[in-house]
Amino acid sequence: MGTAHTAGTAAAALRSGFAGRVITPDGPAYDEAREVFNAMIDRRPAVIAQCETPGDVSRAVRFGRRAGLRIAVRGGGHGVAGTAVADDALVVDLRRMNAAVVDPAARTARVAGGATMSDLDRAGEPHGLATTGGRVSTTGVGGFTLGGGTGWLDRKYGLACDNLLSVDLVTADGSAVRASEEENPELFWALHGGGGNFGVATSFEFRLHPLPALTVVMLLWDFEDGPRVLRAYRDYMQDAPDDVGGGLLFLTAPPEEFVPEPLVGRLACLVVATYTGPEEQARTALAPLLGLGHLGGMVTELPYADLQCMLDDPPGYRNYWSAEYLSALPDEAVDAFCASATDMVVPSPSQHVMFPQGGAAARVGRDFPVPWRRAPWVAHPLGLWTDPADDERGRQWARRTRADVREWSAGAVYLNFIGDEGAQRVAAGFGPEHHRRLAAVKAAYDPDNVFRLNHNIEPGGATA
């Protein structure tokens, strides 16, 4: 029953009592339903189960196991590695489950497993509440949080998983469980960075924080000024207050109002700085950056949900991303990082990013399986292009960027920032002790490794 034809026939049984929509290759909505953010990925699942309820998720998982199908899980966002779909597999698609409900008195949010950051951010906005989300509105809450979750606010409020209060999960046998500090605490620990290895997360409960004002600053320079600006940015961020987030990146300068016309379409250096407070305070706190002689820029106070939309990753592009977490950023590393930007596919929406970490995210006392949080810097080549002829060039640029700064590598890596880079990279991302503990949790909740189309942790203490 492993072929698309026989699975499609068997899907008739899944439709009975299913609140959502079951799509097979012979259906008119099939091609649209199997399309993912990364245009490199072109796969043909046997069945796509677009779930409306946690009960649908349980039915789909049980159906997939009876039918002998591999099971892929699709949340609400990018899934740049492409593991949300697979040939001749069952896709458990959560995108119809996207509600976000805020309790302003308790300062909490209940968010369904297929929601995007936009769903969560917009729900909190009327109440002046927010929590750490991704750096774009189209990020899926589920995969983002289960991987740890780093964003503009993590220096102030910690990682997304640090603000996690509970998770509702459908496990490999179709059972529903809740994980929190009080219920299934070892599973709850594993969900702070261990990804989708332990089940399908159908809802999350988050702690929210008051955010009455947010200021964003964008400053532009010529590409040639990049090393000077990155050195100054590095020195500034070493003692920056937790209210300051952001990053430095090289990109093709877009045709925006704040971009000088001579820079448009050229490789440029951009500093994005966020400040969790009003513009007047932000200008004072960010004065060292504002004094670096930028050619163009903007300073504006705006709602957090609007900031999240400003740098949304455009759909329809071919994608390849990677990352190297750094224990230090000496001048030699600055020069190497800046030089590798010249290998980007330009013009394109590709970005060559250096993110600072630290602040509250680095100070959390709990030993969650996100050791990369202690690294002060992360080099993040994020490639997007349209021409398949650029595929190898784009991959090589990302790999070369990592190689150029590997001398200063911290070892661990945020797996949401990378594609399929092998089992050793996954294991190294957690560190040996965390990896062994995660494998034991995997053995308890998914001993048959049903949920393996991901950055996989094998059950039973297996090592990569």
Side-chain angles (χ1 to χ4, degrees):
M1 194 176 276
T3 68
H5 174 73
T6 55
T9 302
L14 176 59
R15 290 190 176 97
S16 177
F18 196 83
R21 183 165 64 160
V22 177
I23 299 172
T24 50
D26 56 352
Y30 177 73
D31 283 334
E32 180 182 357
R34 70 184 181 88
E35 186 178 82
V36 293
F37 171 79
N38 187 350
M40 277 189 180
I41 309 301
D42 182 17
R43 294 175 184 152
R44 301 187 64 83
V47 183
I48 301 171
Q50 295 187 330
C51 302
E52 294 270 7
T53 67
D56 280 354
V57 175
S58 293
R59 289 184 184 90
V61 169
R62 289 175 178 140
F63 163 79
R65 299 204 66 180
R66 286 195 305 269
L69 295 170
R70 294 182 300 160
I71 297 176
V73 181
R74 181 169 190 173
H78 305 137
V80 69
T83 57
V85 290
D87 290 328
D88 297 329
L90 165 71
V91 174
V92 179
D93 187 339
L94 304 179
R95 288 176 295 168
R96 289 173 171 244
M97 301 170 61
N98 61 1
V101 179
V102 169
D103 182 337
R107 292 181 180 171
T108 61
R110 174 70 62 179
V111 186
T116 64
M117 287 313 311
S118 180
D119 297 314
L120 173 54
D121 298 338
R122 295 297 180 189
E125 183 180 349
H127 310 289
L129 297 171
T131 195
T132 300
R135 293 177 176 89
V136 295
S137 69
T138 49
T139 297
V141 172
F144 169 75
T145 303
L146 295 173
T150 172
W152 302 122
L153 302 181
D154 58 19
R155 286 175 47 84
K156 180 70 172 180
Y157 301 129
L159 302 178
C161 69
D162 297 331
N163 294 285
L164 191 58
L165 300 175
S166 68
V167 182
D168 290 326
L169 199 76
V170 171
T171 59
D173 64 358
S175 299
V177 301
R178 174 164 289 187
S180 67
E181 292 285 359
E182 294 77 30
E183 299 177 78
N184 303 300
E186 187 68 0
L187 173 61
F188 190 55
W189 172 85
L191 297 174
H192 287 69
N197 276 281
F198 313 102
V200 183
T202 57
S203 73
F204 301 82
E205 184 183 13
F206 292 100
R207 179 186 304 108
L208 303 180
H209 304 271
L211 188 62
L214 181 81
T215 302
V216 60
V217 175
M218 294 190 179
L219 306 174
L220 270 166
W221 292 264
D222 277 319
F223 167 74
E224 289 76 13
D225 280 325
R228 173 183 70 86
V229 175
L230 181 51
R231 285 182 175 85
Y233 182 66
R234 171 200 62 194
D235 296 343
Y236 168 77
M237 289 304 302
Q238 183 173 341
D239 298 309
D242 292 358
D243 291 289
V244 176
L248 180 145
L249 55 151
F250 296 100
L251 79 173
T252 304
E256 299 288 349
E257 246 182 66
F258 69 93
V259 179
E261 196 279 331
L263 281 184
V264 173
R266 292 174 47 206
L267 191 60
C269 175
L270 172 69
V271 167
V272 179
T274 60
Y275 184 85
T276 53
E279 181 178 332
E280 182 180 358
Q281 294 177 13
R283 285 185 177 273
T284 300
L286 297 167
L289 300 181
L290 292 167
L292 290 175
H294 53 279
L295 301 179
M298 58 174 280
V299 180
T300 186
E301 194 174 318
L302 78 173
Y304 173 60
D306 289 351
L307 163 65
Q308 290 283 72
C309 300
M310 289 182 71
L311 295 173
D312 277 354
D313 300 316
Y317 283 84
R318 305 172 78 80
N319 280 253
Y320 190 85
W321 304 359
S322 192
E324 196 70 48
Y325 280 72
L326 308 179
S327 57
L329 189 62
D331 287 350
E332 297 87 350
V334 167
D335 292 340
F337 175 77
C338 293
S340 62
T342 59
D343 293 327
M344 289 170 59
V345 177
V346 175
S348 81
S350 295
Q351 299 174 14
H352 189 62
V353 188
M354 184 68 75
F355 283 128
Q357 298 206 116
R363 291 196 301 268
V364 170
R366 293 290 302 275
D367 189 26
F368 294 134
V370 285
W372 45 268
R373 76 189 312 152
R374 311 294 179 194
W377 295 95
V378 53
H380 180 31
L382 192 156
L384 299 90
W385 56 88
T386 56
D387 189 346
D390 286 325
D391 287 356
E392 188 56 28
R393 176 183 170 190
R395 291 191 190 98
Q396 288 301 324
W397 158 63
R399 293 166 183 161
R400 190 175 301 115
T401 296
R402 284 190 56 215
D404 287 347
V405 296
R406 192 167 295 139
E407 178 181 345
W408 303 279
S409 175
V413 62
Y414 176 44
L415 297 175
N416 287 0
F417 272 178
I418 72 171
D420 182 4
E421 296 184 3
Q424 289 185 343
R425 181 88 150 129
V426 173
F430 298 119
E433 293 301 320
H434 285 145
H435 191 251
R436 281 191 286 270
R437 186 174 170 186
L438 288 166
V441 179
K442 176 77 169 182
Y445 289 92
D446 184 13
D448 299 322
N449 205 10
V450 171
F451 301 112
R452 61 185 181 274
L453 300 180
N454 49 33
H455 291 300
N456 192 234
I457 299 165
E458 294 186 15
T463 58

